[in-house]
Structure formats: structure tokens, C-alpha cells
Amino acid sequence: MADKGSMDKMKGKAKQKAGKVMGNDRMKAEGRTDEARGRAKSAMGEARDSAQGMKDSLKGKRS
């Protein structure tokens, strides 16, 4: 399953390209924002997975 930020990153890249082609600075800026939001969501998902892995390994050591 793709991470939650993948769609935002793809949408952001598409908006940036469309904005560049049309000469629309606002659309390019929105694309950068969407892409940054996607990167943040991906980083949060990775941190959550890492924390869960640490939690699971600690539980395993106690048993």
C-alpha cells in the first residue's frame, strides 16, 4: 500500500508542471505546498512505523 503522502506529492508535482506550462505562479506555489504536505505525511508515517517497530521489539524482549 502506498503511503498517505504519495497522492499529495504526485498532485503537487502535476500542479507545478501545469503552472509552469501555463505561466501561472500561483499554481506552481500550490504545487510546492501540496508536495511539501505529501513529504510531511510520508515522514510522519515512517516515524509512526518506526515507533511501532520499537514498541514491538520492546514487548518481545520482556516476554
Side-chain angles (χ1 to χ4, degrees):
M1 182 175 141
D3 65 70
K4 294 180 180 182
S6 295
M7 282 301 290
D8 284 330
K9 288 189 280 187
M10 287 189 298
K11 181 174 73 170
K13 287 181 183 184
K15 274 188 181 180
Q16 287 180 62
K17 287 181 183 182
K20 186 175 182 179
V21 168
M22 293 188 289
N24 187 333
D25 291 336
R26 182 176 177 181
M27 186 177 281
K28 287 192 290 187
E30 287 176 5
R32 286 190 296 272
T33 301
D34 288 342
E35 191 173 358
R37 183 181 302 122
R39 285 193 305 268
K41 283 182 182 179
S42 293
M44 286 298 296
E46 290 172 13
R48 190 177 307 116
D49 291 345
S50 179
Q52 184 64 42
M54 284 190 277
K55 180 180 172 185
D56 291 344
S57 68
L58 289 172
K59 281 185 177 181
K61 289 181 182 179
R62 289 183 186 168
S63 301

